Amino acid sequence: MPPRIDFTSQRLFVDGALSEGAVLQLTNAQAHYLLTVLRMETGAGLLAFNGRDGEWRVEVERQSKRAGTLHVLEQTRPQAPANNLWFLFAPIKKDRLGWMVEKAVEMGVGHIAPVITDYTQSPKLRMDKLQAHGVEAAEQCGVLAVPSFGEPQPLDAVLAAWPEDRALIFCDEQAEVADPAQALEGLRGQPLAVLIGPEGGFSQSERDQLCNLSSICTIALGPRILRTDTAAVAALSAVQMAAGDWAS
């Protein structure tokens, strides 16, 4: 049985290597958060992870009002295999974009990539902001790694280089099979990716490209039109339940 996740302790994502006895210097942002916002003093405990070495219990040492270190004590969970589910999306307005990225991390996505489509209305992205949302979500939901992020690319370029062994799950209101579980049957254990389009949907030429992809799988998300961020959560839930790590 895997170790239980500690949801009561503060968790922090760090870049440095984690091992018993290691000492890590807090970055300015980490020091501000732990020492000023949370008002931690020397001896305060929390959990740290870096996506490589598992999760470790660490102890704060306050050096000044704005500086401190973390002393690594013991491992609480070994590193788990990286999540292999990809999430591709057409950018939306920034007030909902951060929320969507956070939910994708919580749903177990291992790679996040924006795609620019014909009807994309918000093509300008701050990738550092998206990555910050990913880090925050990973800290809060107990996962042991922050997803990787791909730079924005046009959809046609993404499809042209698509790996044949990864099924691309395309959310399509015109899907022939209404039941997403039935449509996803047979994909369990395969590398998977979920593609969510813009608010205006995909253009006809994009739909043709998608449908001609050998590894495409179309699923419907019910009888109602969903906002992009809602569709993302619905699709990722369906995929994880029918063919992902919920199913296993």
Side-chain angles (χ1 to χ4, degrees), residues 48-155:
F49 66 103
N50 60 9
R52 305 182 301 274
D53 303 320
E55 180 185 75
W56 291 75
R57 190 164 300 282
V58 300
E59 193 173 86
V60 173
E61 180 182 353
R62 179 188 282 266
Q63 297 173 322
S64 68
K65 289 183 178 180
R66 299 180 181 179
T69 57
L70 296 177
H71 292 255
V72 184
L73 304 179
E74 60 179 355
Q75 189 181 64
T76 55
R77 286 190 289 159
Q79 186 64 40
N83 293 326
N84 196 26
L85 176 61
W86 293 4
F87 174 54
L88 288 74
F89 65 93
I92 56 176
K93 293 180 180 179
K94 63 180 181 179
D95 59 334
R96 302 296 296 176
L97 185 56
W99 183 91
M100 185 170 68
V101 168
E102 290 170 2
K103 299 308 122 180
V105 176
E106 292 176 22
M107 294 301 301
V109 165
H111 178 70
I112 297 174
V115 294
I116 307 305
T117 69
D118 290 344
Y119 298 153
T120 298
Q121 297 181 357
S122 303
K124 293 183 179 180
L125 291 175
R126 285 281 304 275
M127 294 304 298
D128 58 332
K129 293 287 188 182
L130 292 188
Q131 291 167 353
H133 284 297
V135 169
E136 183 178 354
E139 290 174 340
Q140 293 179 353
C141 72
V143 300
L144 293 179
V146 175
S148 59
F149 284 79
E151 290 295 325
Q153 292 188 68
L155 178 62

Side-chain angles (χ1 to χ4, degrees), residues 163-185:
E164 293 183 359
D165 65 339
R166 183 174 295 273
L168 179 58
I169 299 161
F170 162 37
C171 301
D172 182 11
E173 67 276 7
Q174 300 179 31
E176 294 182 3
V177 180
D179 181 357
Q182 182 180 349
L184 293 164
E185 187 176 2

Side-chain angles (χ1 to χ4, degrees), residues 4 29 36 56 127 132 150 176 180 193 216 234-235 240 243:
R4 288 181 60 86
T36 302
W56 291 75
M127 294 304 298
E176 294 182 3
I216 200 69
Q240 289 288 47

